[in-house]
Amino acid sequence: MSGAAGRTRAWARIGALALLWGSTFLWIELALEALSPVQVTLARCLLGTATLLVLCLRAGRRLPRERAVWGRVFVAAFWCNALPFAMFSVGQQTVDSGVAGVLNATTPLWSLLLGIALGTERGVRPVRLGGLLLGFGGVVLIFAPWQGAGIISWGALAIVAAAASYAIGFAYMGRNLVGGGHPTMSLSAAQLVAASFLTALSLPAGGLAPVHPDRAGLIAVVILGIFATGITFHLTYRIIADEGATNAAAVGYLLPVVSVGLGALVLGEPFSLRIAAGMVIVLLGVGMTRQKTPATASSARTPPISVTGSQSRPTFPFRRTAGETAGDPSEKPGGENLRRTGQ
């Protein structure tokens, strides 16, 4: 494939992922008309799991068998799936889908803040610190705490907590799962299996409420689970393996645009100048935090990225087993044996 054709294909996949992932907030908004937040979270995990298990079966992939790997999968599933999925479902009871997408774009800011707090981000340039402050300033502008009708609420704080949870989860996954010898399809399926189990434990806390027979809501749940959870989660892994971390991270800049646009067009959500300005400021701040020195950019083996979507990750001090390398060995040159044996 020529370079131009390869770039076109890469950006086409990024556009598809941005549309799928950015629409998540729309589907959650509609799904809440039929189900409680816990039920929405469990339903999307179960449907996403079923989707990826079918894909694994068709591709001849097997789930990890090592007990240690499953232990790490459960940790990643808590931070990257069960907790943020639940927080988004709770938050969007009071926050519009478009604003939820904008707040989700703060994940790279949390990643950088975590890296600074833990000492893994050394020699941070002033432009990155400025981006951190600017990004959080944009969040404050969106919240508008000085207005009685501002969107600050427990729901909005829950969505910000979900974004921070993603940052922790992506860092853990990058250090303990990606590049460990298992195909990305197997890892993504196993992680949603673990997330389904963890979410099921929370059923007594609101998951046993009656289901409202809302047709649009139930259809939204199906789309949310199959496409916006299962397909999106795996597609993110594939873009990282095939097109590299930089292209995968670029999706993050598109999610708020998609979520705000769909919220305004489909749900008729208000789109004020203040929210638009806050969104631009958040995205500008995120872009500034991704500025690297030339030496750092050229020496980094795996740039900071998000594995389920739109966010960068710090070099988190979680242990990586000896011999692990970044990427999916079954998706790179030399991985043909893994592909044929279905490992």
Side-chain angles (χ1 to χ4, degrees):
M1 181 180 296
S2 66
R7 286 192 295 271
T8 300
R9 182 169 176 263
W11 281 107
R13 299 179 82 174
I14 287 175
L17 178 59
L19 183 60
L20 286 171
W21 199 348
S23 68
T24 296
F25 312 100
L26 168 65
W27 305 126
I28 291 176
E29 190 89 4
L30 294 174
L32 288 171
E33 297 294 328
L35 304 176
S36 70
V38 174
Q39 291 169 344
V40 170
T41 303
L42 180 59
R44 69 179 296 191
C45 286
L46 290 175
L47 289 169
T49 298
T51 301
L52 291 185
L53 288 178
V54 170
L55 293 178
C56 282
L57 183 62
R58 292 186 59 184
R61 303 290 194 222
R62 293 180 299 182
L63 296 182
R65 296 184 177 182
E66 301 87 347
R67 183 175 299 179
V69 173
W70 274 101
R72 295 195 291 269
V73 164
F74 267 88
V75 173
F78 174 78
W79 290 109
C80 194
N81 302 108
L83 180 59
F85 287 0
M87 290 294 98
F88 277 120
S89 295
V90 169
Q92 285 196 238
Q93 291 182 303
T94 56
V95 175
D96 289 342
S97 64
V99 176
V102 175
L103 297 179
N104 181 56
T106 62
T107 297
L109 305 178
W110 292 111
S111 295
L112 178 59
L113 191 62
L114 280 172
I116 295 174
L118 295 170
T120 58
E121 287 281 354
R122 296 184 175 87
V124 180
R125 299 171 62 195
V127 66
R128 299 187 72 197
L129 289 176
L132 183 64
L133 296 176
L134 187 64
F136 281 112
V139 173
V140 172
L141 182 59
I142 294 171
F143 276 171
W146 57 87
Q147 293 184 359
I151 67 168
I152 188 167
S153 63
W154 286 111
L157 294 177
I159 293 175
V160 173
S165 181
Y166 273 141
I168 297 173
F170 296 149
Y172 184 88
M173 290 162 62
R175 297 297 299 172
N176 294 271
L177 289 172
V178 175
H182 295 281
T184 54
M185 185 180 294
S186 300
L187 287 175
S188 55
Q191 196 163 316
L192 285 183
V193 168
S196 298
F197 176 81
L198 292 173
T199 304
L201 297 178
S202 65
L203 279 177
L208 303 179
V211 175
H212 303 288
D214 182 84
R215 182 179 180 183
L218 295 178
I219 293 175
V221 170
V222 174
I223 297 176
L224 174 66
I226 295 176
F227 295 100
T229 301
I231 300 298
T232 298
F233 198 42
H234 174 58
L235 184 58
T236 304
Y237 269 116
R238 285 301 304 269
I239 288 180
I240 293 171
D242 294 347
E243 276 85 42
T246 302
N247 282 337
V251 179
Y253 302 107
L254 303 176
L255 295 190
V257 178
V258 174
S259 65
V260 170
L262 288 176
L265 291 175
V266 179
L267 301 177
E269 295 176 346
F271 183 67
S272 66
L273 181 60
R274 173 178 54 81
I275 294 177
M279 179 178 70
V280 171
I281 292 174
V282 167
L283 295 181
L284 180 60
V286 170
M288 291 172 62
T289 63
R290 287 183 51 80
Q291 296 297 317
K292 297 284 189 178
T293 60
T296 302
S298 61
S299 62
R301 180 178 60 187
T302 304
I305 51 89
S306 158
V307 185
T308 65
S310 72
Q311 302 90 346
S312 64
R313 64 169 177 85
T315 307
F316 218 55
F318 290 116
R319 179 180 61 82
R320 173 175 285 190
T321 56
E324 287 186 350
T325 56
D328 181 355
S330 70
E331 307 293 348
K332 296 181 179 294
E336 291 82 359
N337 290 336
L338 286 178
R339 187 178 286 109
R340 283 195 289 266
T341 57
Q343 294 180 356

